Amino acid sequence: HHSRANSGVFLDSADLTNNPPTLGNQFTIELRFKYDDGGVAGGQIIGSANFKAPFIKFQALEHGKRIQYGFGDKTITVDKPDSVNFENWHHIATTFDETNYKLYLDGVELNNSTDLSGLTPPEPVTMIGSYKGHRKLPPWLGKIDEVRIWNDTRTQDEILANMNKTLVGNESGLVAYYPMDVNNNWELVDHSPNENHVRITDVEIASEYFSDDCPAPDGSLDCPFPTI
């Protein structure tokens, strides 16, 4: 019994514009990520080209790194904890309940802002990753996995309980779920009931096959090399 895990390597971006998950004034956005840029850790990992949609992005500064999130014309900036190395896999989440806009890193609440109280995102999320050479953004260089967009406010307990698991896809409130599987049309498969599959460009998908008998692919029938 082999299990397979995919992780998307976003050299550019995945464009959700054709069928984006709509968000109201309560939402949760969460994903797993790591940077492959030597720890610079800059750029947007989810949002839209004009930052009007709910976004999560990183600023790489001389004196440390910052995490930024928000929507519309509002940006909340939080210093990255010194103990966290973004070259390793981490989980990040933002939750909004019409009043409180929280940021979680690895299930730990880093920030709670009321700056966007009473507002609704003017645009849906249309991008995972960021445009290469975007005027305002360094290109995203890293890996993203387990992207989940919910139309309700997940609690800290719910985030902690599920951040290292895969979901079924029919969970209540789930409007988009990309565990980084690809179908025959080179689309990222949305495993939520909405089936907002996403065309991808300039992207590599790494498939890993592993089991007790197959610690690393060797090209055999039981232990095949990645095909994508």
Side-chain angles (χ1 to χ4, degrees):
H1 298 286
H2 294 281
S3 56
R4 185 186 72 196
N6 293 335
S7 59
V9 183
F10 286 90
L11 307 179
D12 204 341
S13 65
D15 186 348
L16 285 61
T17 308
N18 289 342
N19 200 6
T22 304
L23 294 180
N25 52 15
Q26 295 193 24
F27 61 82
T28 300
I29 296 172
E30 56 176 332
L31 54 84
R32 297 183 69 237
F33 73 98
K34 73 186 288 287
Y35 274 90
D36 295 334
D37 60 3
V40 175
Q44 174 176 274
I45 53 175
I46 194 162
S48 60
N50 60 9
F51 309 111
K52 299 294 186 189
F55 64 83
I56 302 172
K57 61 187 175 111
F58 299 94
Q59 271 190 317
L61 302 169
E62 188 180 347
H63 303 296
K65 300 179 181 69
R66 292 176 176 170
I67 306 169
Q68 295 186 312
Y69 66 107
F71 61 78
D73 299 313
K74 302 273 190 181
T75 299
I76 304 157
T77 300
V78 182
D79 289 334
K80 178 189 80 70
D82 290 336
S83 58
V84 175
N85 180 354
F86 284 161
E87 291 184 82
N88 302 322
W89 281 101
H90 291 282
H91 180 273
I92 195 162
T94 58
T95 68
F96 186 60
D97 66 0
E98 299 185 59
T99 303
N100 300 290
Y101 201 172
K102 297 181 179 182
L103 173 71
Y104 296 91
L105 186 63
D106 297 322
V108 177
E109 186 180 320
L110 284 192
N111 194 60
N112 182 15
S113 171
T114 55
D115 288 357
L116 287 88
S117 179
L119 301 179
T120 300
E123 293 185 12
V125 170
T126 53
M127 189 185 304
I128 303 170
S130 57
Y131 287 137
K132 201 178 288 183
H134 190 287
R135 184 171 54 85
K136 294 182 181 176
L137 282 178
W140 158 262
L141 186 61
K143 297 181 176 70
I144 298 175
D145 205 357
E146 288 291 319
V147 177
R148 303 160 183 182
I149 301 175
W150 308 78
N151 63 8
D152 57 12
T153 310
R154 303 284 282 174
T155 65
Q156 184 173 21
D157 286 346
E158 287 172 323
I159 290 168
L160 279 166
N162 293 285
M163 67 184 189
N164 294 320
K165 296 178 182 174
T166 54
L167 302 179
V168 175
N170 60 359
E171 285 81 358
S172 175
L174 190 63
V175 293
Y177 176 36
Y178 303 103
M180 298 308 160
D181 297 333
V182 177
N183 65 18
N184 293 333
N185 296 323
W186 285 100
E187 295 171 318
L188 285 181
V189 178
D190 176 10
H191 286 267
S192 82
N194 294 325
E195 298 188 353
N196 292 322
H197 305 324
V198 177
R199 291 287 296 176
I200 50 177
T201 54
D202 294 335
V203 171
E204 247 176 78
I205 302 291
S207 296
E208 297 171 348
Y209 290 82
F210 56 90
S211 72
D212 292 342
D213 324 316
C214 174
D218 61 14
S220 66
L221 192 61
D222 289 331
C223 209
F225 289 121
T227 55
I228 299 174

